Amino acid sequence: MERYVLIGLRGSGKSAIGRRMAEKLRIPLYDTDALIEERANQSIPEIFSGSGEEVFRQMERDVIASLQKGPCVIATGGGAVMDPENARILRQQSHIILLTADARILLSRIQGSSRPSLTGLSALDEIRHLAKLRMPIYRGLADLCIDTGSIRADEAAARIISLNGMQRRDPDLFAETTATISSEIPDDLISCPLIFGITGNPVSHSRSPHLYNTLFPECGIPGRYLFLPAESAEDAILKLRALGAKGLSVTIPFKEMMISCIDEPDEDALAIGAVNTVLSCDRRLYGYNTDWIGICSPIRHLRGGDALVVGAGGAAAAAVYALQSLDMDVTIANRTEKRGEALADRFGCTSAPLSSSIHADLIINATPVGMKEGDGSPVPSGLLRPDTTIFDLVYTPPMTPLLREAEAAGCRIIKGTEMFIHQARAQFTLLTGIDPGIERIREVLS
Ligand code: NAP
C-alpha cells in the first residue's frame, strides 16, 4: 500500500476525507496544517499575524520534508503544493487525489473559520482567485479528481479506496484501443496510474515521448507517455477516454479543432484559437496553449518596441499573442495578404506586404520556410540590421538559412529549438504539476 496525498482548496474536504480513509485503512493521517500548529504551539492565525506568511510557508516545507514515505494519508494545506519542492516530495510513491467543489459550497464550508485571508479579497472572491491560480497545478498533480460537492466524506473516502487512487478503466475498451496504436505498448499499461500521449497526424517524429518517459521516473511520476496517432481531434479525445488517459500533447493538424472538444479552454487558448495541451480531470477536459509561452519566454527581456511576424497560421497567432503580452507593436506580413489582414484584425495589429522598409526590433519567422533542403530565407536581407533580434520558429534543422544570414549580418538570433524547449517545460508542468526546470529539458532534448 502506498501514500495517499489529498490536495485541493480549503473546504474541499481534505481533513474530513483523510480522517475517514485513515480509519478505514488503519494507517496514520498527517494533516500538514495541524502538524504546523502542533510544532509551533500556535494556531495558524497566530503564526500569520505574528510572523507572516513566509514563516508559515517555511514551517510547511519543514513539515512536508519530514513526512514518512510509507503507507499513510496526508491532508495538505491549500497552498502546500504550489511550492515546487513540496510538490516533488509529495509526488514520491504516492497517489495524489484532488478534491474539488463549487466555490459557493467551499464558501459554506469555511464560513466562520478563523483562518487568515491570503489576499484581502471577500471570501468568495478569494476562493475564485485562488482557484484560478492553483487549479492548473492541482489538476496536473492529480492521479484522481473527486468532486466532493454532493457526496459525504465517508462516501468520498470509500470511492478513493475502492479505486486505489486511480481512474477506473474498462479492460475491453482499453485493449481495443491499444490494438489500434501501432507503436509499442507495455504489457502492464492498464495498471499504470497515469497515461499520456501525443496526438496529431503524423506524430511519429515527435521527441515528446522520449522527453516525458525520461523525466517521469526522475520526478517520481507513475506515468507512461505514448505516441497516440488519431484521425481527428474528436478521435484523439475518444482514445484519451478509452485509455483513461490523463492528458495529451496536441500537434498539427488538430490544435485548432481541439478547442471545440474541450469543456474549459483557458483564456490564452481561446484568444489564440488553438489548444496544444489537454488535461482530463473528473471526466472534464481542460485545454491550454503553451506555444505562446515557448515564444514569450526566450524574448521576455524585449518588452516594448516593434515586432514583425512573417506568416499568418497557428504559430503566427501564438507569436502575435506572445508579443502583445510583452507590449510590442506587431506587424504581420504573410504570403497570402488576405490571411495576414484577417489575423491582424483579430488581434488589433497591422498587416503589410513584406518589405525592407518595415521597422522591426524583433522578427519572427512563423512559416515553414527553412525546413526543406534548398529553402532560402523568408525575410529580405535589408531587414537584417545588427540591432535586430531574429527568432526562427523552424526547429528542424536548428540552424536555418535565415538564422545563418542573420548571424552573418550581426543580428542576435534565437533558434526554434528554444520555443520547443520552453513550451515543453510549460506543458510538462501543466500535465504533471511538476516543473522539471529548463536546463533538464534542454539536456534531455539535446
Ligand atoms: P500553418 O498554420 O500551416 O501556417 C503556415 C504559414 O506559413 C502560413 O501563413 C503560410 O502562408 C506561410 N507559408 C507557408 N509556406 C510558405 C512559403 N513558401 N513562403 C512564404 N510563406 C509560406 O503552420 P503553423 O502551424 O503556423 O507552423 C508554421 C511553422 O512554425 C512550422 O512549419 C514550424 O516550423 C514552426 N513551429 C515551430 C514550433 C516550435 O516549437 N519551434 C511550434 C509550432 C510551429 P499562406 O497563408 O500564404 O499559406
Side-chain angles (χ1 to χ4, degrees):
M1 198 193 305
E2 295 172 44
R3 294 201 303 187
Y4 291 91
V5 175
L6 305 182
I7 62 172
L9 292 170
R10 205 146 64 82
S12 57
K14 292 165 293 183
S15 301
I17 294 167
R19 212 172 305 120
R20 304 297 194 291
M21 289 178 66
E23 281 162 15
K24 280 180 199 279
L25 293 168
R26 296 171 192 272
I27 55 178
L29 167 70
Y30 299 111
D31 183 321
T32 61
D33 280 352
L35 286 172
I36 293 167
E37 289 185 322
E38 197 181 299
R39 288 190 189 178
N41 202 19
Q42 278 182 314
S43 68
I44 288 175
E46 283 167 347
I47 300 171
F48 267 74
S49 64
S51 314
E53 184 177 354
E54 205 20 68
V55 169
F56 170 79
R57 295 291 169 207
Q58 187 53 51
M59 291 173 171
E60 188 171 56
R61 277 192 281 276
D62 293 342
V63 161
I64 287 171
S66 71
L67 292 170
Q68 71 177 55
K69 290 279 181 292
C72 64
V73 182
I74 300 171
T76 58
V81 293
M82 299 310 290
D83 179 300
E85 194 48 31
N86 288 345
R88 271 178 179 267
I89 291 174
L90 290 167
R91 178 68 275 181
Q92 308 299 314
Q93 295 156 37
S94 304
H95 296 294
I96 301 191
I97 323 296
L98 169 60
L99 305 179
T100 62
D102 180 77
R104 290 192 181 277
I105 295 176
L106 295 178
L107 179 67
S108 70
R109 289 179 181 161
I110 63 173
Q111 240 155 14
S113 146
S114 60
R115 289 287 166 84
S117 160
L118 296 174
T119 58
L121 296 168
S122 75
L124 188 59
D125 285 347
E126 174 160 300
I127 291 171
R128 291 191 172 132
H129 171 80
L130 292 178
K132 191 165 181 227
L133 223 62
R134 294 176 177 176
M135 287 306 281
I137 292 293
Y138 288 167
R139 285 190 205 111
L141 275 168
D143 301 358
L144 180 69
C145 309
I146 304 262
D147 184 345
T148 66
S150 56
I151 52 173
R152 294 194 321 267
D154 53 348
E155 287 175 79
R159 210 165 127 204
I160 296 166
I161 294 169
S162 74
L163 290 171
N164 194 22
M166 273 173 55
Q167 195 171 322
R168 178 163 291 139
R169 297 188 176 116
D170 174 333
D172 294 335
L173 193 55
F174 191 87
E176 212 175 280
T177 308
T178 50
T180 68
I181 302 170
S182 52
S183 59
E184 216 171 279
I185 300 292
D187 291 342
D188 57 353
L189 186 66
I190 194 161
S191 57
C192 177
L194 299 170
I195 298 175
F196 302 87
I198 175 148
T199 192
N201 198 349
V203 288
S204 55
H205 63 284
S206 172
R207 302 192 63 204
S208 296
H210 166 66
L211 176 71
Y212 281 78
N213 289 324
T214 304
L215 293 176
F216 281 164
E218 291 177 16
C219 299
I221 297 165
R224 189 80 206 163
Y225 188 105
L226 314 168
F227 288 103
L228 208 59
E231 296 298 318
S232 62
E234 292 80 4
D235 181 40
I237 294 301
L238 287 177
K239 287 187 164 137
L240 169 135
R241 294 209 187 279
L243 293 175
K246 162 129 191 235
L248 295 177
S249 309
V250 184
T251 186
I252 44 173
F254 300 159
K255 291 185 194 184
E256 283 81 12
M257 286 311 296
M258 191 55 87
I259 209 158
S260 59
C261 304
I262 297 297
D263 300 302
E264 289 191 36
D266 81 348
E267 58 190 302
D268 307 318
L270 280 173
I272 295 164
V275 158
N276 78 335
T277 308
V278 176
L279 200 95
S280 167
C281 188
D282 204 15
R283 292 197 61 79
R284 277 187 84 67
L285 296 176
Y286 298 83
Y288 308 94
N289 185 306
T290 63
D291 282 337
W292 79 278
I293 299 173
I295 296 169
C296 206
S297 301
I299 55 169
R300 217 172 269 289
H301 57 287
L302 292 178
R303 205 162 258 289
D306 297 327
L308 169 65
V309 174
V310 183
V320 175
Y321 186 72
L323 295 169
Q324 289 189 332
S325 79
L326 294 173
D327 299 324
M328 299 192 105
D329 272 330
V330 182
T331 301
I332 297 168
N334 191 46
R335 179 177 63 180
T336 309
E337 285 185 27
K338 279 216 162 336
R339 202 173 168 202
E341 284 162 17
L343 188 65
D345 283 350
R346 237 179 87 199
F347 284 96
C349 59
T350 313
S351 71
L354 192 55
S355 86
S356 297
S357 62
I358 299 173
H359 177 266
D361 305 298
L362 167 70
I363 300 173
I364 295 188
N365 172 35
T367 77
V369 179
M371 290 179 80
K372 285 202 305 283
E373 187 84 37
D375 271 355
S377 158
V379 175
S381 51
L383 281 172
L384 305 177
R385 292 183 280 266
D387 54 351
T388 311
T389 300
I390 307 294
F391 191 172
D392 196 339
L393 303 190
V394 169
Y395 65 101
T396 41
M399 203 60 190
T400 59
L402 167 62
L403 291 179
R404 245 183 248 110
E405 263 190 47
E407 196 170 52
C411 304
R412 182 168 174 256
I413 62 163
I414 305 174
K415 295 178 184 167
T417 43
E418 285 303 294
M419 171 181 174
F420 186 73
I421 288 166
H422 284 276
Q423 78 73 27
R425 177 197 193 175
Q427 187 172 74
F428 192 97
T429 308
L430 283 167
L431 289 177
T432 67
I434 303 277
D435 176 4
I438 201 71
E439 286 317 317
R440 188 63 194 123
I441 297 219
R442 204 185 291 285
E443 265 169 37
V444 177
L445 289 174
S446 68

